[in-house]
Amino acid sequence: MKRLFLAISPNAAQLDTLTQLQANIGDEGRIVPRDNLHMTLAFLGQCSAAQQEALSETLARLAHQRRLPAFEVTLNTLAHWDKPKILCLKGEARDPQLVSLFNLCQRLAQQLGLHTSEHSFQPHITLMRKAKALPDIKSPTLTLNGHALHLYHSQSSEQGVQYEILASWTLT
Ligand code: 2AM
């Protein structure tokens, strides 16, 4: 079994902006390493090889049929979420193509008997975990262009959790 999730990766310039922001949010928590920064569309939980294969086949077919929508989303609000104790840069899902991609990912997860989101969709990138409070600093504005959907494997290692991209599909 592998712990998997579907997510979007910021580009290099956006990663620079995010790491700069991280440098200003203090040290009362665990900074998410640059390589781990992502915007989740579906956390799938523990997946069997068969579930992973079925998911990958379906996404490959949909990508080939150009049925995975590209999108834009603006993240511009720094938020502290009490329950998961994270600090994130968040935005609103205004682009119907993003809403439709989110719904598609959730539907696939449900069809495969995987974990589905218990919350309404709030696009965000987690910057810090075990965060205690919201720092009083100005949020940058980040516009993500979703051009590719990635399947990530979340692995615990001695250096902490590491995310490996197992597969990617083009959004159109
Ligand atoms: P996040 O996007 O708010 O950081 C991999 O664990 C990713 O899936 C994380 O980035 C995490 O949250 C997201 N995720 C969503 N729901 C989760 C859950 N129930 N358990 C663990 N991670 C979850």
Side-chain angles (χ1 to χ4, degrees):
M1 299 286 264
K2 282 188 188 142
R3 186 180 167 94
L4 302 180
F5 63 98
L6 293 167
I8 303 297
S9 170
N11 66 29
Q14 292 163 342
L15 288 174
D16 288 345
T17 305
L18 291 167
T19 47
Q20 265 167 35
L21 175 60
Q22 286 177 317
N24 296 323
I25 57 180
D27 53 10
E28 280 219 282
R30 260 193 301 115
I31 292 286
V32 174
R34 180 185 170 103
D35 288 346
N36 280 2
L37 293 167
H38 65 274
M39 183 181 89
T40 303
L41 284 175
F43 172 72
L44 304 169
Q46 294 294 329
C47 298
S48 67
Q51 284 169 319
Q52 182 187 336
E53 196 171 324
L55 178 79
S56 299
E57 274 178 13
T58 305
L59 286 169
R61 178 171 50 79
L62 291 171
H64 183 71
Q65 296 169 338
R66 304 170 74 85
R67 282 163 65 196
L68 295 180
F71 65 86
E72 251 188 36
V73 65
T74 299
L75 306 179
N76 55 11
T77 308
L78 200 57
H80 177 257
W81 288 347
D82 236 19
K83 198 108 173 285
K85 291 194 172 52
I86 62 165
L87 203 62
C88 65
L89 187 65
K90 68 169 189 175
E92 299 299 327
R94 298 193 198 285
D95 185 344
Q97 301 240 106
L98 173 56
V99 176
S100 124
L101 184 65
F102 171 78
N103 289 335
L104 187 149
C105 291
Q106 293 294 326
R107 207 160 51 237
L108 282 181
Q110 190 185 20
Q111 283 164 3
L112 291 167
L114 297 168
H115 182 274
T116 54
S117 178
E118 53 273 27
H119 309 289
S120 63
F121 182 38
Q122 176 95 73
H124 68 278
I125 295 178
T126 300
L127 302 167
M128 182 186 262
R129 301 193 186 277
K130 300 195 190 304
K132 300 224 162 65
L134 182 65
D136 183 20
I137 56 169
K138 202 170 168 289
S139 304
T141 295
L142 211 72
T143 298
L144 294 189
N145 288 97
H147 291 308
L149 178 67
H150 304 296
L151 177 65
Y152 285 84
H153 178 200
S154 168
Q155 279 173 294
S156 296
S157 73
E158 275 169 31
Q159 301 95 285
V161 60
Q162 284 194 332
Y163 299 148
E164 179 198 6
I165 293 179
L166 299 177
S168 303
W169 301 278
T170 303
L171 307 175
T172 32

